[in-house]
Amino acid sequence: SWEYVQKEKAPDMIHVLQFPYNGEPPRDRLVETEITRNEDFFVRNHGGIPEIDPAEYSFDIDGLVNNPKKLTLADLQNEKLFPRQTNVVSLQCSGTRRIEQIHEYPGDGDELINAPWGEGAIGTARWTGVSLKKVIKYCGGLKDNGENIHLEFYGADTYFKKGKVYNYVVSVPWRKVKLNEVLLAWEMNGKPLPRIHGFPLRTVVFGYIGARSCKWLYRIKAIKGPSLAPVQMKEYLYYTPQVGKQNAMYSNGFSIQDMPVSSAIMKPINMQQIIHDGSIKMRGWAYSGGGRWPVRVEVSGDGGSIWYEVPYENLSNKYYHAWRLWEIDLPVDAEGWLELCVRTWDNALNTQPTYVRSAWNFDLHVTSSCHRVKIYSIN
Ligand code: MTE
Ligand code: MO
C-alpha cells in the first residue's frame, strides 16, 4: 500500500493505521475547499490495494437478475448503453471521530479493525459513472420484482481477521438503488479513480456509511436479504447501551446504513492558544446522510449554554448528498480555557446528541454528538 500512499496522497496525511492503510488529511486543509482534492481524501482500507489491469478488467452481474452479464469498463462508458451521471457526494466513514469514544470508553470496540479516526474521515467529491439501476435494467431487471432483494458488492481486496482471509463484501437494498443513489463510478473529480480509492471501478452509495461504497468492484450479485458476509453482518453495527463486549451478539446490532446528522470544528484545533480581539474564527463541516442536508449550524463558546447561529450565507452550497462547510466569527470575552462546540440541524430537524456518552455504542461506530474543542483564549 505504501507505494500508493506516496504516489496518490498528500505528504502530510495523518496515518491513522499503517497496515491496512488508513489516513485522514490535516484538519484545516479539509475545510478549505467544498470539493476535497483527491490527494486529501481520507482512505479507509481493510486490506491491501489490489493491482487491477484496466485492459483485462471486467465485472460480473449475477444472482437474481434475469440476464446475468459480464461487463467491461468500455461497456459502462458506452453512452449508447448507459447515460452518464455525475454527482457531488460526501463519503463518511462511520468511524469518524472514533478517537473521542476510545477516550470515553477505553477497551471498547474491535482493536483489530477500529482505526482511531479524528474528524477527517469524511470527504466530498464529484463522482462520475453510471447508475446501478440502469445496469440492472440492462440485465433484464430483477427476479420477483425486486422484492426484498439486496445487491451484494464484491471488492477484489482481501483482509485478515482472526486468522482467516476474507474478501470485502457488503450489500445495499434494491430500494436504495431504485432512487439512482448508487453509482458505479470510474471518475473522482474528473480524473480516473486513484488506485487507493478503488481503481478501476467502485460503488458510491449516497448518504450511507462509507463502508457500502465498495472499492475495486469485481462482482455484483442480486440476493434475497442483506449479505451474509462478515463485513455486512459483523461490522458496522449499532448496539443499545446495555450491550458490551461481554454480552454482544451480532444479531443484537442494528446494521448502520444512513449516516445521522453530524458536524465538526476543524479550526481552531484542540488545545490551541488563541490571541484575539473579542472574536474567534471557527470553521468546520456539517453533514447529514440519507438525502438530508444541514439547514442550521450553531456554535457555542461556553460548552453549550449560549448558542450562536452560523449566518446562513456562511454555509457552502447545498447538495442533497454532500456536506456544507461553515464559518463564523464567534464573539468571545472570556479569557482562559474555553470549550467551543458545534451542533447542526438537518432539514428533517434532527440534531446531534449532546455528549459522546449520550449515545454509547460499544462497537465504536457513529460518534455524532456535538463536537467540542478546548482552547486557551487570550483577549
Ligand atoms: N471497499 C473495499 N473493497 N475494501 C475496503 O476496505 N472500505 C470501506 C469502503 N469500501 C473498503 C471498501 C470503508 S469502511 C469506507 S469508509 C470507504 O470505502 C472509504 O472510501 P475511501 O477509502 O475511498 O475514502
Ligand atoms: Mo468506513
Side-chain angles (χ1 to χ4, degrees):
S1 311
W2 201 245
E3 185 193 339
Y4 293 114
V5 175
Q6 285 177 324
K7 256 194 221 153
E8 298 182 335
K9 292 285 114 186
D12 55 354
M13 286 291 275
I14 301 164
H15 307 315
V16 178
L17 279 185
Q18 299 270 346
F19 188 88
Y21 183 75
N22 285 258
E24 63 180 283
R27 287 173 176 75
D28 50 347
R29 207 165 60 238
L30 184 60
V31 290
E32 267 172 18
T33 54
E34 185 181 85
I35 303 292
T36 312
R37 283 175 284 257
N38 288 356
E39 61 168 34
D40 287 337
F41 209 95
F42 80 98
V43 176
R44 175 22 176 165
N45 289 336
H46 283 64
I49 296 167
E51 299 204 20
I52 300 171
D53 176 357
E56 306 270 294
Y57 173 79
S58 67
F59 72 100
D60 293 299
I61 305 179
D62 56 12
L64 301 171
V65 290
N66 287 314
N67 308 313
K69 285 198 197 297
K70 190 183 268 302
L71 295 176
T72 62
L73 266 191
D75 294 332
L76 281 188
Q77 292 169 349
N78 179 350
E79 292 189 72
K80 291 197 183 103
L81 293 183
F82 305 109
R84 221 165 259 203
Q85 188 177 320
T86 296
N87 293 84
V88 174
V89 176
S90 294
L91 285 189
Q92 185 182 9
C93 184
S94 54
T96 309
R97 295 177 49 203
R98 176 177 293 135
I99 188 73
E100 295 168 52
Q101 293 214 33
I102 292 174
H103 287 153
E104 190 91 17
Y105 311 112
D108 272 359
D110 183 337
E111 60 285 358
L112 292 175
I113 53 170
N114 284 349
W117 294 109
E119 305 86 70
I122 182 170
T124 301
R126 204 171 263 121
W127 307 94
T128 299
V130 302
S131 170
L132 174 57
K133 181 187 185 178
K134 305 287 194 287
V135 176
I136 298 289
K137 213 165 148 190
Y138 181 72
C139 296
L142 296 172
K143 297 198 165 133
D144 308 328
N145 291 322
E147 186 81 22
N148 193 29
I149 284 184
H150 285 235
L151 286 309
E152 197 177 41
F153 307 139
Y154 289 67
D157 53 332
T158 52
Y159 71 103
F160 287 94
K161 206 184 161 187
K162 296 182 179 142
K164 284 197 199 154
V165 183
Y166 299 95
N167 262 111
Y168 189 89
V169 179
V170 286
S171 72
V172 300
W174 165 240
R175 64 181 162 74
K176 181 71 180 170
V177 178
K178 225 160 61 173
L179 299 169
N180 289 315
E181 290 181 353
V182 179
L183 210 56
L184 304 183
W186 60 80
E187 261 181 28
M188 183 176 182
N189 295 326
K191 296 186 197 98
L193 273 182
R195 294 261 176 193
I196 211 165
H197 290 293
F199 180 86
L201 191 70
R202 75 178 299 168
T203 59
V204 175
V205 182
F206 309 177
Y208 272 21
I209 60 171
R212 313 297 173 220
S213 293
C214 183
K215 305 194 272 190
W216 311 292
L217 185 71
Y218 75 89
R219 182 184 184 192
I220 298 173
K221 186 179 177 192
I223 55 173
K224 280 278 179 204
S227 171
L228 299 178
V231 182
Q232 187 74 30
M233 297 297 287
K234 302 186 176 174
E235 295 182 35
Y236 304 104
L237 298 175
Y238 204 82
Y239 294 94
T240 66
Q242 285 73 35
V243 175
K245 215 169 211 167
Q246 288 71 22
N247 63 343
M249 287 194 298
Y250 297 126
S251 54
N252 286 342
F254 165 83
S255 178
I256 311 164
Q257 302 280 46
D258 283 356
M259 283 304 290
V261 60
S262 68
S263 47
I265 300 163
M266 303 300 260
K267 189 192 159 150
I269 59 171
N270 209 23
M271 301 294 157
Q272 197 173 327
Q273 171 181 292
I274 301 163
I275 302 170
H276 61 94
D277 285 318
S279 81
I280 293 178
K281 190 171 274 309
M282 293 174 70
R283 287 167 71 91
W285 55 260
Y287 171 69
S288 188
R292 294 173 293 277
W293 60 92
V295 294
R296 191 163 104 206
V297 177
E298 296 166 324
V299 297
S300 165
D302 59 5
S305 294
I306 297 172
W307 293 92
Y308 295 83
E309 182 175 358
V310 173
Y312 196 75
E313 62 275 14
N314 287 9
L315 298 186
S316 67
N317 287 324
K318 180 209 130 183
Y319 297 94
Y320 290 108
H321 300 286
W323 68 10
R324 302 180 84 168
L325 303 181
W326 54 268
E327 67 172 56
I328 186 172
D329 291 313
L330 176 74
V332 174
D333 285 330
E335 292 203 87
W337 287 106
L338 300 179
E339 188 176 86
L340 308 185
C341 53
V342 61
R343 77 174 175 210
T344 292
W345 299 76
D346 71 15
N347 67 310
L349 305 186
N350 298 305
T351 192
Q352 304 177 235
T354 308
Y355 300 106
V356 172
R357 63 178 174 278
S358 312
W360 178 44
N361 174 28
F362 96 98
D363 207 30
L364 307 190
H365 287 283
V366 181
T367 312
S368 66
S369 55
C370 296
H371 183 231
R372 296 158 190 278
V373 300
K374 291 212 172 68
I375 56 118
Y376 195 84
S377 160
I378 299 172
N379 191 343

